[in-house]
Amino acid sequence: MNVGNGRLFETERGKGRKIYRVFAATVFVSVVWIWVYRATLMAPASGRWFWIGSFAAELWFGLYWMLTQSVRWNPTHRRTFKQRLTQRFGNELPRVDVFVCTADPVIEPPMMVVSTVLSVMAYDYPPEKLSVYLSDDGGSELTFYALTQAAIFSKHWLPYCRNYKVEPLSPAAYFKSAASPRDHTKHRQDFIVIQRLFEDMKNRIEKVTNIGRVPNKLRLEHQGFLEWDSFTSPRDHAAIVQILLDHDEDTEGHCLPKLVYMAREKRPDHFHNFKAGAMNALIRVSSIISTGPIILNVDCDMYSNSSDTIKDALCFFLDEEKGHEIAFVQYPQCFENITKNEVYGGSLRVLREVDFHGLDGIDGPLYVGTGCFHRRDILSGKSFGSSSDQGSKLTDWKSEKDTHYNHRETENIQILASCTFESDTEWGKEIGLKYGCPVEDVITGLSIHCRGWKSVFYNPKRNAFLGVAATTLDQTLVQHKRWSEGDLMILISKYSPAWYGLGRVHPGLLMGYMMYCLWATSSLPTIYYTVVPSLCLLNDVQLFPQVSSTWFLPYAYIIISTTAYNYFEFLGCGGTTRGWWNDRRIWLYKRTSSYLFALLDTILGSDLSFIISSKVTDTDVHERYEKEMIEFGVSSPLSIAVATQSIINMICFLGFAIKSMLMDTRTREAYYEAMAIHIVLCFVLVLLNVPLYLGLFVRRDKGKIPSDVTVKSIFLALFFCTIFAVL
């Protein structure tokens, strides 16, 4: 077979779709059956409002479940043919600009940042066609110093990667996992040399980072430090653009990728949207320096784990049949520090292996802000089918020549990186990433889909990127609060998929966007079902049918079938039984705290500023994380909300247990029959919260729940139990 012919990628529909659709139909019938039960039966006089509340919660759950079917109805999987790409295009491949964004050298250590930069410089791709940009929104001289050291080290690291086919491409990750070679003398010698060079670089960077400034002696090593003066601060500095490598040669005489440092201008009185502003400035600046028609953006903690990633992405863009429709190629977010049983559910396993494959079957996944390849012209506002669209593939990339830094253009570049360049322009509105939303990536992807473009989700066997997941419960809850808050903002904005996407995108994709936009609002029915049935169990208020009733069947079927399906789906995605249980716990905590406060903040108009997740973990916190002990040790409204609800469940279950023991046998049996669903719900919630109870009353380490959280939560739980009893 001639590998130069044929498609550059193939699409395969997921297996078991027909079986799943039959199962989904049975669940739908049961959901409707429950709605009929609530609507037709008379609510008990003693608990009428609780009955109505249950109806509202079940109505919401049913409707939301229907939205989730959009990502399970038609899953799609992709396979690329890189050998065909290479044979068909040879060296006539498009230039690629890689954007890496960082903002704070304290919570995003410079050593981690440069490891990510070095990893994307080491792609198996013509280096003369590759340019790497580091956007430092904090304008830190520490980060700039680290990048100057990375530029020097790259002249040794990239030849080593090329000669020995290194994977992963991050030197920090490579030396952490790789052992010194024994079977090849030259390789062993090179390994020892490059490891020593890496350790020397690491020590220099960490020494400067620890003292918090670059000594004057080291400043003399690079003229770029003249950009920093005594008046420069993270919130007030001029635009800085420094080209550290302009396709220089490595130690073996081969070309190196271009390496550029950029810090966009900041002023104390100017609004800055961190991620969107940095990306838009990079798009502007790179249009003069390198003008790659393909842009890859990655977070500073998401290093490249595969040398083939660029070529895989180009298989989609350059496919002659479908490439002209594709706006961006999204890779999954994967993490290297996930424990075996995923104590915080941080792997996003089901979202990665189920949701995004399902979205790929209905015109494409969401843009999630990292690990994504874009076409530059589409980020610049181009609509599908516009007069400028040549209709087939990336246009004119063969004729475009690389540009070289011209000092006469310095002033123009500085203007493009200024904080006011986009004022009174379409930047942040119709061009580039959109401003004014904590999840600027999602709203940008939605606007691209609404302009007629499609996207692709590619999930290769070897993870393309690996990052750092949250290692404490508070980090997890805060992160999901930001995501759900931003998604809710999209829902109520002019870009809401409910009206902006209506008629512009596939109905299934619209449902997929709505599924995420409604995260925050799902908090209320979840809290209701978490708290009220338990309180009703304590106070003998019956909300559900008896076991002997026909109406009991749909409840039993939904509880058993959906739980079983969720469990086997999680295992099918590579998870463990304990990991699934942990995932259920974190699912509950997110919905009853993160999503709740996201909803309240949006309603009350709180400041929705971008929050950067810390990538630094204390030694004792890391040790507990490795042991899969939940880290509760932060006092916050989020932790108080979680603890309060768990204590309510515990009080109610203990009250039920004591009360049932005092009943005679016949009364107890009748009671169990009438309150069966209440008992099951309350018991499961208590089991889920066992680690939290240990944190409240047993643990003595620093990761336990703080005393003030314990006191406040117990008081609030007793207050709600008392109020409910009075009602």
Side-chain angles (χ1 to χ4, degrees):
M1 183 181 69
N2 184 356
V3 296
N5 297 324
R7 297 286 304 278
L8 294 180
F9 72 91
E10 70 176 10
T11 301
E12 181 180 303
R13 300 300 178 186
K15 299 178 181 179
R17 289 177 297 153
K18 292 182 179 179
I19 296 176
Y20 178 77
R21 290 174 182 179
V22 172
F23 165 72
T26 63
V27 174
F28 176 74
V29 170
S30 299
V31 168
V32 175
W33 195 348
I34 289 175
W35 290 347
V36 172
Y37 165 73
R38 290 292 184 191
T40 58
L41 266 69
M42 182 68 67
S46 59
R48 180 167 301 164
W49 288 108
F50 304 125
W51 180 281
I52 295 173
S54 298
F55 187 18
E58 289 160 2
L59 186 64
W60 175 268
F61 289 143
L63 294 173
Y64 189 80
W65 175 83
M66 292 177 193
L67 289 178
T68 66
Q69 299 315 292
S70 61
V71 300
R72 288 170 171 79
W73 210 247
N74 192 34
T76 295
H77 301 267
R78 311 277 186 174
R79 186 160 71 100
T80 62
F81 301 103
K82 293 182 288 293
Q83 70 276 21
R84 295 178 183 174
L85 178 79
T86 302
Q87 184 162 337
R88 189 173 302 171
F89 295 98
N91 290 324
E92 294 182 330
L93 291 168
R95 291 196 306 278
V96 177
D97 291 344
V98 183
F99 297 168
V100 181
C101 297
T102 186
D104 190 324
V106 176
I107 61 180
E108 295 173 335
M111 191 59 222
M112 179 189 70
V113 175
V114 299
S115 289
T116 297
V117 169
L118 287 165
S119 75
V120 296
M121 292 178 69
Y123 278 126
D124 180 17
Y125 200 73
E128 68 275 8
K129 294 179 179 291
L130 185 63
S131 300
V132 178
Y133 294 78
L134 175 65
S135 171
D136 177 19
D137 213 52
S140 170
E141 64 176 5
L142 304 178
T143 303
F144 180 72
Y145 173 77
L147 199 65
T148 63
Q149 300 305 300
I152 297 171
F153 178 70
S154 69
K155 298 182 179 182
H156 304 273
W157 173 246
L158 299 192
Y160 180 82
C161 292
R162 180 175 59 248
N163 294 336
Y164 299 109
K165 307 298 181 184
V166 167
E167 304 277 14
L169 301 177
S170 160
Y174 175 72
F175 291 117
K176 182 179 179 181
S177 59
S180 177
R182 298 180 179 179
D183 57 345
H184 195 295
T185 303
K186 181 66 166 62
H187 189 185
R188 177 178 173 81
Q189 291 175 347
D190 289 348
F191 179 91
I192 293 172
V193 170
I194 198 71
Q195 186 178 41
R196 185 177 68 249
L197 290 173
F198 172 71
E199 291 298 329
D200 290 344
M201 177 189 70
K202 179 180 177 182
N203 291 334
R204 290 194 299 272
I205 293 174
E206 291 184 344
K207 182 178 179 180
V208 169
T209 302
N210 289 336
I211 63 176
R213 62 181 180 84
V214 180
N216 292 333
K217 181 179 179 181
L218 297 181
R219 285 173 173 268
L220 299 177
E221 295 179 359
H222 198 286
Q223 63 179 6
F225 284 105
L226 296 175
E227 299 283 358
W228 280 268
D229 56 37
S230 58
F231 301 102
T232 299
S233 70
R235 295 184 178 275
D236 187 7
H237 60 79
I240 303 172
V241 180
Q242 292 285 320
I243 299 182
L244 302 179
L245 293 174
D246 196 5
H247 294 316
D248 301 6
E249 292 185 349
D250 61 27
T251 55
E252 296 182 354
H254 293 92
C255 179
L256 288 168
K258 185 172 290 186
L259 180 61
V260 183
Y261 172 90
M262 186 199 77
R264 63 188 176 122
E265 181 187 18
K266 273 195 171 184
R267 296 177 185 171
D269 59 342
H270 187 73
F271 168 76
H272 285 274
N273 187 305
F274 159 56
K275 187 72 170 287
M279 280 286 291
N280 288 345
L282 284 169
I283 294 170
R284 300 190 299 257
V285 169
S286 64
S287 67
I288 289 183
I289 295 177
S290 56
T291 63
I294 296 294
I295 291 172
L296 162 65
N297 82 280
V298 294
D299 287 345
C300 64
D301 66 324
M302 297 290 291
Y303 67 81
S304 175
N305 190 53
S306 172
S307 59
D308 292 329
T309 300
I310 293 181
K311 291 182 178 178
D312 280 327
L314 290 181
C315 285
F316 298 104
F317 289 120
L318 300 183
D319 182 76
E320 294 181 352
E321 185 177 332
K322 294 291 185 180
H324 69 287
E325 302 175 346
I326 298 171
F328 60 88
V329 177
Q330 179 66 63
Y331 283 80
Q333 285 185 285
C334 303
F335 306 96
E336 65 172 350
N337 64 329
I338 297 295
T339 58
K340 178 182 177 181
N341 298 305
E342 307 173 45
V343 64
Y344 301 116
S347 71
L348 306 176
R349 187 177 298 278
V350 173
L351 186 148
R352 180 180 73 236
E353 300 294 339
V354 177
D355 288 15
F356 271 51
H357 282 293
L359 290 168
D360 199 16
I362 43 178
D363 292 350
L366 286 65
Y367 167 40
V368 300
T370 184
C372 190
F373 286 83
H374 291 270
R375 283 176 51 175
R376 179 186 291 272
D377 56 352
I378 296 173
L379 278 180
S380 298
K382 181 179 178 182
S383 296
F384 182 74
S386 63
S387 58
S388 60
D389 187 0
Q390 300 298 315
S392 58
K393 53 189 176 183
L394 294 171
T395 58
D396 299 330
W397 86 85
K398 292 183 181 179
S399 62
E400 291 180 349
K401 295 181 180 180
D402 194 13
T403 55
H404 292 276
Y405 182 65
N406 186 334
H407 288 283
R408 288 175 297 180
E409 295 179 332
T410 300
E411 184 176 350
N412 291 335
I413 293 175
Q414 299 283 353
I415 293 173
L416 294 174
S418 70
C419 62
T420 56
F421 174 81
E422 69 269 25
S423 298
D424 300 320
T425 71
E426 293 300 305
W427 282 98
K429 300 173 185 176
E430 300 301 326
I431 302 177
L433 272 69
K434 296 190 179 298
Y435 293 153
C437 180
V439 286
E440 67 289 316
D441 37 29
V442 176
I443 196 170
T444 299
L446 174 60
S447 68
I448 290 173
H449 282 134
C450 288
R451 295 204 303 270
W453 297 101
K454 296 181 180 180
S455 57
V456 163
F457 178 64
Y458 186 55
N459 188 7
K461 291 183 179 179
R462 180 179 180 87
N463 294 328
F465 302 95
L466 287 175
V468 180
T471 56
T472 71
L473 180 62
D474 184 67
Q475 288 176 4
T476 300
L477 297 181
V478 169
Q479 187 178 58
H480 280 269
K481 176 181 178 291
R482 179 176 69 84
W483 289 347
S484 57
E485 203 165 358
D487 288 336
L488 183 58
M489 280 192 64
I490 295 174
L491 180 67
I492 61 178
S493 73
K494 70 174 183 178
Y495 295 105
S496 172
W499 43 81
Y500 187 74
L502 194 62
R504 299 187 182 189
V505 298
H506 189 288
L509 183 58
L510 189 150
M511 292 171 64
Y513 272 106
M514 289 294 293
M515 183 176 71
Y516 299 109
C517 288
L518 291 171
W519 270 356
T521 49
S522 67
S523 61
L524 298 180
T526 303
I527 291 172
Y528 186 91
Y529 242 70
T530 301
V531 173
V532 173
S534 295
L535 291 172
C536 288
L537 175 65
L538 183 65
N539 292 277
D540 297 335
V541 177
Q542 184 179 349
L543 294 181
F544 304 102
Q546 297 185 6
V547 175
S548 58
S549 170
T550 306
W551 295 110
F552 179 80
L553 295 178
Y555 283 98
Y557 179 75
I558 286 181
I559 291 173
I560 295 172
S561 65
T562 58
T563 301
Y565 176 81
N566 182 273
Y567 170 69
F568 287 113
E569 181 182 66
F570 191 87
L571 294 188
C573 294
T576 65
T577 297
R578 188 175 173 187
W580 170 77
W581 187 248
N582 289 336
D583 186 73
R584 294 296 85 198
R585 179 186 302 112
I586 298 302
W587 177 91
L588 176 68
Y589 290 172
K590 289 185 299 189
R591 284 200 168 203
T592 56
S593 61
S594 302
Y595 296 177
L596 173 64
F597 283 93
L599 178 64
L600 294 176
D601 280 358
T602 304
I603 293 174
L604 299 175
S606 300
D607 179 27
L608 306 179
S609 57
F610 188 93
I611 301 174
I612 305 171
S613 300
S614 176
K615 310 303 185 301
V616 181
T617 303
D618 294 337
T619 302
D620 57 340
V621 173
H622 179 73
E623 290 177 354
R624 287 191 289 271
Y625 177 70
E626 291 296 320
K627 295 177 182 177
E628 297 191 329
M629 298 173 63
I630 297 181
E631 190 73 22
F632 294 107
V634 173
S635 178
S636 71
L638 294 172
S639 59
I640 292 174
V642 168
T644 299
Q645 292 166 70
S646 68
I647 293 174
I648 290 174
N649 296 139
M650 181 182 67
I651 292 173
C652 292
F653 191 77
L654 291 176
F656 149 74
I658 295 171
K659 183 165 49 179
S660 63
M661 286 189 295
L662 299 177
M663 296 177 182
D664 58 58
T665 303
R666 294 182 62 182
T667 305
R668 186 184 301 121
E669 290 177 355
Y671 182 70
Y672 287 170
E673 181 180 2
M675 307 297 289
I677 297 180
H678 299 74
I679 297 170
V680 169
L681 286 175
C682 190
F683 178 66
V684 170
L685 289 169
V686 169
L687 283 182
L688 279 173
N689 285 313
V690 167
L692 192 143
Y693 300 141
L694 295 176
L696 279 168
F697 307 116
V698 178
R699 286 172 55 178
R700 292 293 178 265
D701 55 82
K702 292 183 179 179
K704 73 178 184 69
I705 294 178
S707 300
D708 64 319
V709 174
T710 301
V711 172
K712 293 175 183 176
S713 301
I714 292 175
F715 173 80
L716 288 172
L718 292 173
F719 173 77
F720 286 122
C721 289
T722 303
I723 292 296
F724 191 91
V726 172
L727 294 176

